[in-house]
Amino acid sequence: DAKGVILTNAHIAQYFLLADRGADCTVRAGSPAADRYDAELAYIPSAWLLANADVLTQTAPSGTGEYDFAFLSITGSATSAALPTEFPSLSLAQVPPPSGTPVVIASYGAQFLASSQVQSSLFPTIVFGSVKEVYTFVTNTIDVLALGGSAAAQEGSSGGGVADVSGELVGTITTSTIEGSTETRSLDAITASYIRSAYASETGSALDLLLAKSPATAAADFAPQIPALEAILTAHLP
């Protein structure tokens, strides 16, 4: 969002719940990626945490992507530069794309980089592709986009954006196979329409009401829920 709200995955945003255990999360941006912003949780689904409470203890976690989304609020600058008055943004689509829809996939794929390169030489991965198949978590809604194999099908791409030709964000990357050449892998994204409906189902409120808030207000309104959510996550940690 142009005001500074970021859509990402729950399996990424969960680390914001571990501040008491020393987790220090910073938003990176640019080419190459560099520390840019401080952020706080604006929303993470309790349904995802309850279903994946032990994911941090797993060596090779897996999932379907259901409820795997979260929102972060940019709350400050991580550098000496002031925050911009407006952030680059895409509007969140209302209607999911059908099979065959051309899309642009953008992420920070990092599977083939050494840890030092992830810190200093992480560049965006941008792929032109299409929706290969569509799937649902329930009965007749389009909740998951199968995007096939590409350079974006690698670890690190989680939370990456999938946009259509009109410039709307139609999905966010959640899962990928990570074996074999990237062209033979599978890459999946949950749809923006699914995120809208799942958020409304969990909160009883429309997502647009969250996005209408200032980032600071969104973070402050969500803060009282964090201790209980943190307890779900830390109950499985040593």
Side-chain angles (χ1 to χ4, degrees):
D1 182 83
K3 296 189 300 295
V5 176
I6 299 172
L7 169 64
T8 187
N9 294 149
H11 74 259
I12 295 172
Q14 65 178 329
Y15 292 97
F16 281 83
L17 296 171
L18 299 176
D20 291 346
R21 291 182 172 237
D24 183 16
C25 302
T26 304
V27 177
R28 304 171 72 198
S31 182
D35 291 352
R36 293 287 180 86
Y37 312 117
D38 298 321
E40 297 177 13
L41 268 174
Y43 177 75
I44 187 170
S46 59
W48 186 89
L49 289 166
L50 290 167
N52 298 274
D54 61 346
V55 70
L56 290 177
T57 64
Q58 300 174 14
T59 55
S62 60
T64 64
E66 190 169 14
Y67 286 106
D68 195 2
F69 65 93
F71 291 91
L72 307 175
S73 287
I74 293 176
T75 54
S77 175
T79 71
S80 58
L83 290 178
T85 56
E86 186 173 291
F87 293 88
S89 64
L90 296 176
S91 60
L92 206 59
Q94 298 272 2
V95 179
S99 293
T101 300
V103 292
V104 179
I105 307 163
S107 69
Y108 278 102
Q111 183 175 345
F112 305 110
L113 300 179
S115 58
S116 59
Q117 292 174 307
V118 171
Q119 291 299 315
S120 63
S121 305
L122 181 61
F123 291 87
T125 299
I126 300 175
V127 174
F128 294 89
S130 63
V131 177
K132 310 303 183 188
E133 300 284 350
V134 296
Y135 299 101
T136 184
F137 290 128
V138 281
T139 52
N140 57 4
T141 54
I142 297 177
D143 301 327
V144 178
L145 308 175
L147 302 169
S150 70
Q154 55 174 301
E155 291 176 330
S157 286
S158 292
V162 182
D164 64 12
V165 294
S166 68
E168 283 197 314
L169 190 71
V170 296
T172 187
I173 298 169
T174 52
T175 58
S176 171
T177 55
I178 57 173
E179 301 294 335
S181 67
T182 56
E183 297 302 319
T184 64
R185 298 179 182 183
S186 62
L187 181 71
D188 295 335
I190 53 174
T191 62
S193 56
Y194 166 73
I195 292 169
R196 286 181 176 278
S197 64
Y199 178 88
S201 176
E202 251 220 349
T203 66
S205 177
L207 179 57
D208 287 336
L209 295 179
L210 172 67
L211 299 179
K213 299 178 182 179
S214 70
T217 299
D221 287 350
F222 189 71
Q225 301 181 48
I226 288 179
L229 298 174
E230 179 187 1
I232 295 172
L233 195 61
T234 56
H236 294 267
L237 295 179

